[in-house]
Amino acid sequence: VTIPVPDTEKVQMVVVTDENGNNTYITEVETNDNGVAVTTDGNATVSVMSGNKKEFVDVHHVDHWSEKSVDFVYILGLMNGTSENHFSPDVHLTRAMLVTILYRAEGEPEVSFENIPFGDIAIGSYYEEAVIWAAEKGIVSGYDANNFAPNSNITRQQMAAIMYRY
């Protein structure tokens, strides 16, 4: 199948969704004069993700081993980096970061601000809505009874528990 794309230079990824709803992410995209070429078996929906990838100074300018993975999560909107120009690939993942990734993967659904579940959630922070969503869904129950500890590094045990509940 060739999908017409006006500017193939900006194509970053193709997502092929099969008839069972399973996604295949193709980051090595084949382009031609007419657009993007994709081979599929059976019925499938093909989505072209295009745009400018972010050139993080600590990933792209130093040939970091994570470059393709960083591009992948950035293009999907799961992770934005830690600042305007830095992704910080070697920094530990925090509890707030993980919950934010899951929240973005779910399409950032609306949350109720009536009952903020933890006293240490900074109002207006990048993670505020994500933590509220995760608490509403029973994905997180907090670090202790009153706190989430959003900036604490997440342990493997905590990550396993959160992913299991997710």
Side-chain angles (χ1 to χ4, degrees), residues 1-5 11 13-19 22-26 29-30 36-49:
V1 175
T2 298
I3 302 165
V5 177
V11 173
M13 178 185 332
V14 173
V15 182
V16 179
T17 306
D18 69 18
E19 53 198 16
N22 300 313
N23 290 332
T24 301
Y25 300 93
I26 303 168
V29 180
E30 181 183 330
V36 177
V38 179
T39 303
T40 65
D41 292 333
N43 294 326
T45 302
V46 179
S47 303
V48 177
M49 305 202 63

Side-chain angles (χ1 to χ4, degrees), residues 53-55 59-73 89:
K53 70 179 179 182
K54 184 81 168 186
E55 293 287 329
V59 174
H60 297 92
H61 298 282
V62 294
D63 295 323
H64 196 275
W65 63 266
S66 68
E67 185 172 335
K68 285 188 181 281
S69 300
V70 169
D71 290 344
F72 180 79
V73 295

Side-chain angles (χ1 to χ4, degrees), residues 6-8 17-18 20 28 35 42 59 61-62 68 79 86 97 99 102 112-113 129-131 138 146 150 162:
D7 189 358
T8 58
T17 306
D18 69 18
N20 297 319
E28 299 294 325
V59 174
H61 298 282
V62 294
K68 285 188 181 281
M79 301 176 84
H86 291 84
M97 288 175 180
V99 172
L102 299 177
S112 169
F113 289 94
E129 291 182 25
V131 173
N146 300 314
I162 290 171

Side-chain angles (χ1 to χ4, degrees), residues 95-111:
R95 294 169 51 81
M97 288 175 180
L98 177 62
V99 172
T100 300
I101 293 166
L102 299 177
Y103 177 64
R104 290 174 180 162
E106 291 299 314
E108 300 184 54
E110 286 193 38
V111 297

